[in-house]
Amino acid sequence: QVQLVESGGGLVQFGGSLRLSCAASGRTFSTCDMAWFRQAPGKEREFVAAISWSGRRSDYADSVKGRFTISRDNAKSTGYLQMNSLKPEDTAVYYCAAGHPDELKYERVYEYTYWGQGTQVTVSS
Protein backbone atom coordinates (compact mmCIF):
# COMPACT_ATOMS: atom_id res chain seq x y z
CA GLN A 1 0.00 0.00 0.00
CA VAL A 2 1.05 3.57 -0.74
CA GLN A 3 -0.32 6.60 1.05
CA LEU A 4 -0.01 10.06 -0.46
CA VAL A 5 -0.40 13.42 1.24
CA GLU A 6 -0.40 16.66 -0.73
CA SER A 7 0.61 20.02 0.66
CA GLY A 8 1.49 23.48 -0.58
CA GLY A 9 -1.85 24.64 -1.90
CA GLY A 10 -3.25 28.04 -1.13
CA LEU A 11 -4.33 31.39 -2.52
CA VAL A 12 -2.06 33.06 -5.03
CA GLN A 13 -2.31 36.10 -7.28
CA PHE A 14 -2.61 35.94 -11.04
CA GLY A 15 0.86 35.31 -12.45
CA GLY A 16 2.17 33.96 -9.18
CA SER A 17 3.87 30.69 -8.34
CA LEU A 18 3.20 27.80 -6.04
CA ARG A 19 4.93 24.49 -5.38
CA LEU A 20 2.90 21.47 -4.41
CA SER A 21 4.43 18.51 -2.61
CA CYS A 22 3.26 14.93 -2.46
CA ALA A 23 4.71 12.97 0.43
CA ALA A 24 4.47 9.21 0.04
CA SER A 25 4.65 6.38 2.49
CA GLY A 26 5.13 2.80 1.48
CA ARG A 27 8.17 1.01 0.17
CA THR A 28 6.85 0.66 -3.36
CA PHE A 29 6.56 4.38 -4.13
CA SER A 30 9.84 4.46 -6.02
CA THR A 31 8.52 1.80 -8.39
CA CYS A 32 5.38 3.80 -9.16
CA ASP A 33 4.78 6.32 -11.86
CA MET A 34 3.34 9.53 -10.44
CA ALA A 35 0.93 12.10 -11.74
CA TRP A 36 -0.94 15.23 -10.80
CA PHE A 37 -4.60 15.75 -11.60
CA ARG A 38 -6.92 18.61 -10.81
CA GLN A 39 -10.64 19.05 -10.44
CA ALA A 40 -12.58 22.29 -10.55
CA PRO A 41 -16.15 22.54 -9.23
CA GLY A 42 -18.64 20.90 -11.58
CA LYS A 43 -15.92 19.51 -13.82
CA GLU A 44 -14.26 16.17 -14.40
CA ARG A 45 -10.92 15.44 -12.83
CA GLU A 46 -8.33 16.26 -15.48
CA PHE A 47 -4.75 15.29 -16.13
CA VAL A 48 -2.08 17.86 -15.37
CA ALA A 49 1.30 16.12 -15.49
CA ALA A 50 2.94 12.72 -15.10
CA ILE A 51 6.42 11.43 -14.39
CA SER A 52 7.87 7.94 -14.69
CA TRP A 53 9.18 6.03 -11.70
CA SER A 54 12.76 6.87 -12.66
CA GLY A 55 12.03 10.53 -13.28
CA ARG A 56 13.46 10.22 -16.75
CA ARG A 57 10.20 10.75 -18.59
CA SER A 58 7.48 13.31 -18.03
CA ASP A 59 4.54 14.80 -19.85
CA TYR A 60 2.09 17.65 -19.41
CA ALA A 61 -1.36 18.70 -20.39
CA ASP A 62 -1.30 21.31 -23.13
CA SER A 63 -2.94 23.80 -20.79
CA VAL A 64 0.07 23.80 -18.44
CA LYS A 65 3.02 23.17 -20.73
CA GLY A 66 5.73 25.74 -20.25
CA ARG A 67 4.29 26.82 -16.90
CA PHE A 68 4.29 23.72 -14.69
CA THR A 69 7.12 21.32 -13.90
CA ILE A 70 6.69 17.88 -12.37
CA SER A 71 9.55 16.26 -10.49
CA ARG A 72 10.24 13.63 -7.87
CA ASP A 73 12.83 12.69 -5.30
CA ASN A 74 12.61 8.99 -4.65
CA ALA A 75 15.17 9.18 -1.85
CA LYS A 76 12.70 11.43 -0.02
CA SER A 77 9.63 9.58 -1.30
CA THR A 78 8.23 12.90 -2.46
CA GLY A 79 6.82 14.25 -5.68
CA TYR A 80 6.47 17.89 -6.65
CA LEU A 81 4.57 20.15 -8.96
CA GLN A 82 6.07 23.58 -9.53
CA MET A 83 3.43 25.93 -10.88
CA ASN A 84 4.41 29.25 -12.41
CA SER A 85 2.50 31.98 -14.24
CA LEU A 86 -0.69 30.86 -12.57
CA LYS A 87 -4.04 31.81 -14.06
CA PRO A 88 -7.54 31.86 -12.58
CA GLU A 89 -8.39 28.84 -14.73
CA ASP A 90 -5.78 26.87 -12.77
CA THR A 91 -8.04 27.11 -9.72
CA ALA A 92 -8.92 23.58 -8.63
CA VAL A 93 -8.27 20.89 -6.09
CA TYR A 94 -5.00 19.25 -7.05
CA TYR A 95 -4.47 15.56 -6.46
CA CYS A 96 -1.34 13.47 -6.44
CA ALA A 97 -1.65 9.96 -7.84
CA ALA A 98 0.65 6.97 -8.13
CA GLY A 99 0.53 3.58 -9.72
CA HIS A 100 1.59 1.57 -12.72
CA PRO A 101 -0.38 2.99 -15.62
CA ASP A 102 -0.21 1.65 -19.11
CA GLU A 103 2.51 3.68 -20.75
CA LEU A 104 0.04 4.94 -23.33
CA LYS A 105 -2.74 5.67 -20.83
CA TYR A 106 -1.03 7.67 -18.12
CA GLU A 107 -3.41 10.61 -18.62
CA ARG A 108 -6.37 8.56 -17.46
CA VAL A 109 -7.67 8.76 -13.90
CA TYR A 110 -8.51 5.07 -13.76
CA GLU A 111 -4.91 4.05 -14.44
CA TYR A 112 -3.80 5.12 -10.95
CA THR A 113 -4.19 3.08 -7.80
CA TYR A 114 -3.16 5.49 -5.07
CA TRP A 115 -4.50 8.98 -4.47
CA GLY A 116 -3.90 11.78 -2.05
CA GLN A 117 -6.62 13.79 -0.36
CA GLY A 118 -6.14 16.82 -2.56
CA THR A 119 -5.00 20.36 -1.89
CA GLN A 120 -6.86 23.50 -2.92
CA VAL A 121 -5.20 25.96 -5.28
CA THR A 122 -6.98 29.24 -5.83
CA VAL A 123 -5.69 31.87 -8.24
CA SER A 124 -7.21 35.32 -7.93
CA SER A 125 -8.08 37.30 -11.03
Side-chain angles (χ1 to χ4, degrees), residues 95-123:
Y95 298 89
C96 179
H100 300 90
D102 184 284
E103 64 180 12
L104 299 178
K105 300 178 180 179
Y106 55 83
E107 296 183 5
R108 305 297 184 91
V109 168
Y110 60 77
E111 287 291 310
Y112 295 87
T113 303
Y114 309 105
W115 292 85
Q117 83 288 352
T119 186
Q120 177 70 47
V121 172
T122 302
V123 184

Side-chain angles (χ1 to χ4, degrees), residues 17-85:
S17 297
L18 214 55
R19 187 178 75 160
L20 306 184
S21 296
C22 175
S25 62
R27 290 205 281 261
T28 61
F29 174 72
S30 62
T31 74
C32 292
D33 292 345
M34 191 195 77
W36 290 91
F37 291 79
R38 66 188 183 187
Q39 188 167 23
K43 295 187 176 182
E44 300 275 6
R45 192 168 298 187
E46 68 173 354
F47 172 77
V48 176
I51 188 167
S52 63
W53 69 269
S54 66
R56 287 195 277 264
R57 292 173 291 149
S58 60
D59 195 25
Y60 301 86
D62 288 342
S63 60
V64 306
K65 282 182 179 177
R67 300 189 296 121
F68 291 11
T69 302
I70 188 170
S71 62
R72 67 190 297 167
D73 185 340
N74 286 341
K76 297 180 179 179
S77 296
T78 302
Y80 305 93
L81 183 69
Q82 177 67 47
M83 305 184 294
N84 299 325
S85 302

